[in-house]
Amino acid sequence: MNWPKALTAELASRRCIIFLGSGASAGSLSADGSKSPTTWNKFLDDLKGKMTSGDKTTIDKFISEQRFLDAAEVILHHVPQADFSAYIREELVRPKYKPSLVHESVLEIDPKVVVTTNYDDIYDNYCRQGEAIDGYNICRYYEDHLVSDLRSPVRLILKAHGCVSNPSKIVLSRSQYFKEKQDHGNFFKVLESLFLTHTILFLGYSLSDPDIQLILENSNIAAKSAHPHYIAIGNDTDPVLKESYKRTYNLEFVEFPAGNYNALNSGIFSLKDEVLSYRATYDY
């Protein structure tokens, strides 16, 4: 992976926010080594099995077309909250996932702010252990200490779509996102201001992920700037789509062989080395 020197400099000076998607946790393994966190397709397909009513044929169509937000909208309408909470805990808490290589590299890069749309707490727990325990704080979108945290010396993890610690507050569908954005407007206003003032590096996303679609559609990330944002992504993305995202959202693509997550892990490990070397050279 060819990381732009400008991105390395932004990360070294901690002017870059790292945005972690579901792919960042894909390399995590459960405590017994038997499983990894599920993909969006399987997550929604399993959740569909908890429905007490409704037409599953339409949901299957949405999932096959990668219309994940629409599929989630229908599924959640027919799944009792207690069943949803139980599924989240069974899928994301009980396996006791260990950090992935991506998590390890990001922790060493040591950004001031990491934002994640993941519900799992793998990276959260990894940051808050051993010597790092006092150096990290976690702010979920429904909490009100974000500004205080940003003005403090602690490193910050922002949970933009909720967390396994409170399944009732997890954001999965488009309507939930807009509701929570209305109810907790201050958090999202601050988040959008960070998009305007910082470089963003998206790790663990594909352009079909509903999370990144929500973030890009409902933020000011497209504000004119000479400095782009970056996304690590497989090299099978349609060129027309890439050009559209580049023009609309000021996104630069750093590609790896599609489906080769070992290459992604190696690429991020190399980025970590470049950042630490740059930081040492310029005494950041």
Side-chain angles (χ1 to χ4, degrees), residues 9 12-15 278-284:
S13 62
R14 297 185 177 87
R15 294 192 302 266
Y278 192 103
R279 190 174 285 157
T281 299
Y282 293 95
D283 196 26
Y284 279 117

Side-chain angles (χ1 to χ4, degrees), residues 228-263:
H229 304 286
Y230 301 89
I231 182 169
I233 200 165
N235 61 0
D236 59 346
T237 306
D238 184 273
V240 175
L241 192 59
K242 283 169 55 179
E243 181 58 33
S244 173
Y245 273 72
K246 181 176 181 178
R247 184 175 60 254
T248 306
Y249 302 117
N250 198 18
L251 271 179
E252 291 288 343
F253 291 74
V254 183
E255 296 183 320
F256 60 92
N260 187 344
Y261 291 101
N262 287 330

Side-chain angles (χ1 to χ4, degrees), residues 32-268:
D32 62 6
S34 66
K35 64 179 297 186
S36 295
T38 60
T39 62
W40 265 105
N41 296 56
K42 190 174 188 306
F43 182 85
L44 291 173
D45 198 54
D46 289 348
L47 193 57
K48 181 187 68 177
K50 309 295 182 183
M51 292 171 56
T52 55
S53 60
D55 180 13
K56 297 181 180 180
T57 304
T58 301
I59 295 169
D60 291 336
K61 180 176 182 293
F62 287 157
I63 293 176
S64 67
E65 295 173 350
Q66 296 190 329
R67 293 170 58 185
F68 299 134
L69 292 172
D70 294 327
E73 199 73 54
V74 179
I75 291 171
L76 291 179
H77 187 73
H78 299 284
V79 174
Q81 179 61 49
D83 292 347
F84 176 75
S85 298
Y87 172 70
I88 290 294
R89 292 194 175 96
E90 180 68 25
E91 186 59 40
L92 297 178
V93 178
R94 287 193 63 186
K96 298 180 180 178
Y97 292 111
K98 298 178 180 179
S100 68
L101 292 176
V102 174
H103 293 143
E104 293 174 2
S105 293
V106 170
L107 181 61
E108 287 197 64
I109 289 172
D110 188 30
K112 162 69 176 175
V113 178
V114 169
V115 184
T116 180
T117 51
N118 295 343
Y119 314 129
D120 67 65
D121 56 2
I122 305 170
Y123 183 70
D124 316 11
N125 290 336
Y126 180 53
C127 288
R128 301 184 70 185
Q129 64 183 3
E131 294 180 359
I133 191 168
D134 295 323
Y136 284 81
N137 203 8
I138 299 165
C139 185
R140 301 159 188 90
Y141 74 85
Y142 48 85
E143 297 173 332
D144 59 4
H145 50 85
L146 174 54
V147 173
S148 296
D149 290 341
L150 286 170
R151 298 181 68 177
S152 77
V154 301
R155 302 297 186 254
L156 188 57
I157 303 169
L158 306 185
K159 307 284 285 191
H161 287 174
C163 184
V164 293
S165 61
N166 189 349
S168 68
K169 290 286 190 178
I170 281 179
V171 173
L172 186 59
S173 69
R174 185 180 282 107
S175 65
Q176 286 178 326
Y177 181 83
F178 283 110
K179 179 183 182 301
E180 300 302 349
K181 192 174 180 182
Q182 288 178 326
D183 292 347
H184 304 282
N186 287 339
F187 176 93
F188 291 100
K189 286 177 182 177
V190 174
L191 192 59
E192 289 177 5
S193 71
L194 291 174
F195 293 154
L196 287 172
T197 57
H198 292 71
T199 298
I200 310 296
L201 171 61
F202 293 95
L203 296 178
Y205 288 96
S206 74
L207 295 185
S208 63
D209 282 347
D211 290 332
I212 198 170
Q213 291 174 8
L214 286 173
I215 292 298
L216 294 178
E217 288 172 7
N218 300 288
S219 72
N220 292 323
I221 200 171
K224 292 185 181 299
S225 171
H227 301 283
H229 304 286
Y230 301 89
I231 182 169
I233 200 165
N235 61 0
D236 59 346
T237 306
D238 184 273
V240 175
L241 192 59
K242 283 169 55 179
E243 181 58 33
S244 173
Y245 273 72
K246 181 176 181 178
R247 184 175 60 254
T248 306
Y249 302 117
N250 198 18
L251 271 179
E252 291 288 343
F253 291 74
V254 183
E255 296 183 320
F256 60 92
N260 187 344
Y261 291 101
N262 287 330
L264 174 62
N265 289 336
S266 297
I268 296 173

